[in-house]
Amino acid sequence: MALSAVDVALWDLKARLLDLPLVRLLPAYHDRVPVYGSGGFTNYSLDRLAGQLTGWAEQGIPRLKLKTSREPERDPRRLDAVRRAVGDEPELFTDANGALARKEALYWARRFHEEWDVRWFEEPVGSPDVAGLRMLRDRAPERLEIAAGEYAYTARDFVDLVDGPAVDCLQADVTRCGGITGLLEVAGLSAAQHLDLSAHCAPAISAHAFCAVRRLRHLEYFHDHVRIEDLLFEGTLSPDGGALRPDTVRPGLGLEFKWADAERYRAYGTRPA
Ligand SMILES: [Mg+2]
């Protein structure tokens, strides 16, 4: 992750030195990245959960994700509340963060899809359980995609997921997989295995980086990262028509660090001159 941070910073610097927005420096296939609203934590009240997902739907985001499976017996009520609030139209995604055992995950995969028309089940079992993911990919309902990849760091980790393959849609996090240089390798792997690639979080960086992913699916517009990016950076992006469009005027990633606002979080060192 430290290497990813340095890699992203170097790409940003190169683009700034060339006075280009980063997306123009990369071999871009797209000019925008579709997003899905993501949050829906399991400790939210039903009202807060439904309100958060409704908020994204009202912003024109047609795909919504909530966390599930920490206490599986509570999920039916949570999913009922969400469907009641957002209606039948938005696609619903779920993320178990690897909380379930294999057969338990298969049981919930069927219920999620049949009862709430869930279309995406992320990390139903833990990512290291590649055989479990593959079993679920093969046996879950056809219109429910199994996704994983946020905990893949090296090309080898991604080969394990796409070989077989163990997922219907691969995920990658540009701040974990070796930065933009690593992401371009992952993009090649996913294309070679005919799999779409979805961006995990870091929306301000991912909006540029994933325009260079030919088999781009979408980007996780994650509640907490959106909040932190806004807190610390000027120049962050807001979804428009369900997508983030990288700024093509400002150089690099188009971001400026808010030194004054960040000062109270300083752990050590001094502000650069
Ligand atoms: Mg996840």
Side-chain angles (χ1 to χ4, degrees):
M1 287 190 278
L3 290 172
S4 300
V6 173
D7 182 86
V8 170
L10 288 172
W11 277 97
D12 179 52
L13 177 62
K14 181 176 179 179
R16 284 169 189 257
L17 291 172
L18 294 170
D19 199 26
L20 283 173
L22 181 57
V23 67
R24 290 276 156 77
L25 184 60
L26 297 170
Y29 293 92
H30 314 280
D31 64 0
R32 80 201 74 179
V33 176
V35 299
Y36 64 88
S38 170
F41 297 138
T42 54
N43 61 353
Y44 286 177
S45 68
L46 293 182
D47 281 350
R48 185 172 179 196
L49 170 69
Q52 186 181 59
L53 272 67
T54 305
W56 289 315
E58 286 171 356
Q59 285 180 59
I61 300 175
R63 296 159 287 267
L64 312 167
K65 190 170 89 182
L66 68 154
K67 302 285 187 190
T68 61
S69 312
R70 175 170 289 209
E71 297 168 87
E73 66 284 358
R74 288 184 59 233
D75 288 332
R77 277 177 59 220
R78 299 175 67 244
L79 284 154
D80 278 343
V82 167
R83 265 294 173 225
R84 242 193 334 267
V86 303
D88 294 338
E89 194 82 353
E91 282 190 26
L92 274 192
F93 294 4
T94 54
D95 184 352
N97 282 102
L100 300 170
R102 291 180 185 179
K103 284 290 179 69
E104 199 183 14
L106 186 59
Y107 168 81
W108 285 106
R110 291 196 176 122
R111 283 198 64 182
F112 284 171
H113 184 63
E114 283 166 16
E115 296 177 42
W116 299 280
D117 194 23
V118 170
R119 297 299 178 87
W120 169 280
F121 195 6
E122 183 172 321
E123 289 196 308
V125 295
S127 281
D129 184 8
V130 175
L133 286 170
R134 189 173 293 120
M135 180 279 281
L136 285 153
R137 182 196 181 266
D138 292 343
R139 293 182 56 186
E142 288 88 348
R143 301 205 65 191
L144 176 73
E145 293 187 295
I146 302 299
E150 68 180 83
Y151 293 113
Y153 298 89
T154 65
R156 181 69 242 174
D157 297 337
F158 287 99
V159 168
D160 289 342
L161 288 171
V162 301
D163 206 13
V167 292
D168 293 299
C169 183
L170 185 65
Q171 295 176 279
D173 188 319
V174 68
T175 70
R176 296 177 182 169
C177 73
I180 289 161
T181 306
L183 178 69
L184 295 174
E185 292 181 359
V186 177
L189 282 175
S190 69
Q193 295 288 0
H194 311 285
L195 290 171
D196 286 351
L197 186 60
S198 175
H200 178 259
C201 298
I205 302 171
S206 297
H208 283 261
F210 280 78
C211 283
V213 172
R214 186 165 60 82
R215 294 204 57 139
L216 163 69
R217 175 71 69 85
H218 40 44
L219 154 67
E220 179 167 7
Y221 189 67
F222 183 52
H223 164 72
D224 253 359
H225 289 200
V226 170
R227 183 175 63 81
I228 291 166
E229 285 184 350
D230 279 345
L231 194 68
L232 296 176
F233 292 95
E234 191 261 318
T236 56
L237 305 167
S238 296
D240 183 15
L244 290 182
R245 188 188 286 264
D247 190 325
T248 53
V249 176
R250 298 161 66 114
L253 287 164
L255 298 172
E256 295 300 332
F257 194 57
K258 295 179 182 171
W259 288 99
D261 294 349
E263 192 59 40
R264 63 193 167 114
Y265 303 108
R266 176 189 299 286
Y268 59 85
T270 54
R271 176 176 174 173

